[in-house]
Amino acid sequence: MKCLDDFRLRFGSREYVPIMIGGMGVDISTSDLSLEAARLGGIGHISDAMIPTVSDRRYDTKYVRDKLKQYKYNVANANKSEVQFDLGLLEEAQKTHVTRTMERKRGDGLIFMNCMEKLTMNGPKETLRVRLRAAMDAGIDGITLAAGLHLGSFGLIEDHPRFRDVKLGIIVSSLRALVLFLRKSARTNRLPDYVVVEGPLAGGHLGFGMDWAQYDLHTIVAEIREYLAAEKLDIPLIPAGGIFTGSDGVSFLEAGAAAIQVATRFTVSHECGLPPDVQQHYFGANENDIEVNNTSPTGYPMRMLKSSPSIGAGIRPNCEAYGYLLDGNGNCAYITAYNRELALHPDAKRLSVMDKTCLCTHMRNFDCWTCGHYTYRLKDTTHRRADGSYQILSAEHIFHDYQYSKDNKIALPPVETCEPAKPA
């Protein structure tokens, strides 16, 4: 039986271990995690979701504080159309994060930026253009267009000097989405360098409706592969979503895929940005603790843990500080839901908003626990400590387990030689 290491992902004359770690925001796919993937010969992602917030946390900048200070007069106003991002500062934050990451890169692998296109930021096209171009300026190896495919993305950067140098990929969940993108971007005379095909078992936002369970990743990948062959298009396909073991990955590569994208198992690595206490919630989850709901103000279904503190939390919208999901007119579905509940319960000390969540605030605080379908299997990948908690793994161990495992086996990490220090 083969293992993933028997295959290679090829970009031109270069070969890579066919493992790509997905770009989990906000700062869940950290620089450290992406750097480990690159060091080991694969591909890692950093995410540009809420990049000014990430910069504040990692590089001691003050973008969020200064934005809140600038628009503090508008906090009580339901109209958020005036709350704009400074494009120069947004560019600065993106360049800082990418530059600092690329400066630390070692090994033969690549580091990509996962570009969250649904972060409309009250200026959808302008803010997307700035984030894409700044990442290219700062030396990123590649960009994956994700979280709501913007059909005109290539057009925003086609005049950039690195347009044909940087690896550019897209995430789709259907053949229809791929065809639409290829038609729209045809005038740029630039095909995607790779296509990530994300299936219904992925974590976070899904490219499906609430009928997601009717779809199958193998079937979608096969349909897209047949289309590309018929059109004589040589674009590497990278399936994602529900690939929990190396053997799962091999089944796709033997069927013609070029690599796999994985993320769920890396959420419980030391290099991941999730706080240790949140990682324990992921380890402790059972299958019935995971749901797909419509609480995201983006309009996309989202898979998450039912115990996420974000569910039902009726906090005041924090658009003056964040505002990443404001559309071009300063609207957000959470603002509408919050104001509805406020009008119904004007004297309530604490509001509950069940149908939508302030995604910006809760993602920033790691309170929206998005997850993959197989998160409940994470407990089977490690050791349980005497106190009932689970041992955190290294990204290297997880990567190598995907790379070398066979027969659907999962290699457990070495047992810790001492108990972890208690929190102060």
Side-chain angles (χ1 to χ4, degrees):
M1 185 176 186
K2 290 185 176 181
C3 65
L4 281 175
D5 195 55
D6 293 320
F7 301 84
R8 284 295 180 269
L9 167 63
R10 292 178 177 83
F11 287 136
S13 62
R14 299 290 300 276
E15 293 188 348
Y16 305 92
V17 177
I19 299 173
M20 176 185 284
I21 300 179
M24 300 173 283
V26 172
D27 205 28
I28 296 174
S29 285
T30 60
S31 293
D32 287 346
L33 184 54
S34 69
L35 288 164
E36 275 296 273
R39 181 181 69 83
L40 296 168
I43 299 173
H45 276 95
I46 52 177
S47 168
D48 76 344
M50 301 176 66
I51 194 68
T53 299
V54 174
S55 179
D56 286 355
R57 180 183 294 129
R58 295 289 175 181
Y59 310 116
D60 200 31
T61 51
K62 300 293 187 290
Y63 297 120
V64 172
R65 182 201 66 181
D66 292 345
K67 182 170 179 284
L68 175 58
K69 184 178 179 181
Q70 180 181 358
Y71 293 107
K72 194 170 184 179
Y73 68 87
N74 199 63
V75 167
N77 189 356
N79 185 346
K80 305 298 182 183
S81 59
E82 294 185 27
V83 182
Q84 303 281 337
F85 281 83
D86 183 305
L87 296 182
L89 296 179
L90 179 62
E91 177 185 23
E92 183 178 277
Q94 182 84 310
K95 285 184 176 180
T96 296
H97 190 41
V98 174
T99 299
R100 296 285 188 92
T101 302
M102 299 305 292
E103 287 174 347
R104 298 167 55 203
K105 180 184 168 185
R106 302 290 184 273
D108 297 325
L110 300 172
I111 294 179
F112 288 0
M113 169 68 76
N114 183 274
C115 184
M116 301 286 193
E117 297 191 281
K118 261 295 179 181
L119 297 180
T120 45
M121 302 169 74
N122 205 0
K125 183 177 290 187
E126 296 78 10
T127 55
L128 178 57
R129 179 189 288 111
V130 166
R131 287 183 287 139
L132 290 170
R133 298 177 76 91
M136 296 166 78
D137 288 343
I140 200 71
D141 290 324
I143 297 174
T144 301
L145 302 171
L149 190 60
H150 189 296
L151 297 180
S153 296
F154 278 16
L156 298 178
I157 54 176
E158 62 180 323
D159 63 339
H160 193 282
R162 296 191 66 208
F163 180 58
R164 301 186 186 281
D165 167 37
V166 172
K167 298 291 182 289
L168 298 176
I170 61 174
I171 295 182
V172 300
S173 294
S174 67
L175 173 59
R176 177 178 178 274
L178 173 60
V179 172
L180 284 173
F181 184 87
L182 293 178
R183 287 175 180 171
K184 180 69 175 181
S185 61
R187 68 171 188 79
T188 66
N189 196 29
R190 170 71 154 89
L191 290 172
D193 293 291
Y194 58 97
V195 174
V196 176
V197 184
E198 191 171 82
L201 304 185
H205 290 105
L206 304 180
F208 302 87
M210 293 303 289
D211 61 347
W212 59 269
Q214 300 178 22
Y215 297 88
D216 171 72
L217 180 57
H218 273 284
T219 301
I220 300 169
V221 172
E223 184 181 19
I224 292 177
R225 183 167 47 81
E226 290 172 6
Y227 168 80
L228 293 178
E231 296 295 320
K232 296 181 171 53
L233 296 175
D234 185 16
I235 305 175
L237 294 183
I238 304 176
I243 302 174
F244 201 78
T245 68
S247 298
D248 292 337
V250 167
S251 69
F252 284 100
L253 269 64
E254 287 184 327
I260 58 168
Q261 178 171 287
V262 289
T264 293
R265 288 183 59 186
F266 289 92
T267 61
V268 289
S269 66
H270 289 290
E271 293 82 0
C272 175
L274 282 176
D277 61 323
V278 176
Q279 289 177 316
Q280 293 301 321
H281 283 280
Y282 281 58
F283 274 127
N286 295 314
E287 187 171 5
N288 60 3
D289 295 325
I290 300 168
E291 69 177 16
V292 176
N293 60 42
N294 281 309
T295 62
S296 171
T298 66
Y300 286 95
M302 186 164 58
R303 178 173 281 112
M304 60 198 305
L305 295 183
K306 294 179 182 178
S307 55
S308 297
S310 63
I311 298 177
I315 63 169
R316 185 172 62 188
N318 280 317
C319 307
E320 283 69 31
Y322 306 121
Y324 295 94
L325 291 180
L326 295 175
D327 67 16
N329 297 311
N331 300 317
C332 172
Y334 178 72
I335 298 175
T336 302
Y338 173 85
N339 287 328
R340 180 199 66 219
E341 294 301 319
L342 185 62
L344 291 172
H345 309 283
D347 298 323
K349 292 184 178 179
R350 186 173 183 177
L351 288 179
S352 178
V353 181
M354 295 302 300
D355 54 323
K356 295 298 174 186
T357 187
C358 184
L359 198 60
C360 297
T361 300
H362 293 302
M363 290 298 289
R364 183 265 180 198
N365 294 335
F366 300 108
D367 284 337
C368 185
W369 299 340
T370 59
C371 64
H373 177 79
Y374 288 124
T375 293
Y376 66 89
R377 295 174 61 184
L378 288 174
K379 60 175 64 68
D380 300 324
T381 68
T382 191
H383 304 285
R384 195 169 188 181
R385 302 177 180 126
D387 66 359
S389 65
Y390 292 86
Q391 181 179 325
I392 307 299
L393 303 100
S394 72
E396 180 179 25
H397 169 83
I398 301 167
F399 190 98
H400 280 159
D401 186 48
Y402 269 112
Q403 186 176 0
Y404 299 115
S405 65
K406 298 180 180 181
D407 300 319
N408 282 302
K409 294 180 179 177
I410 294 174
L412 299 181
V415 178
E416 292 173 332
T417 57
C418 62
E419 288 294 316
K422 300 290 183 182

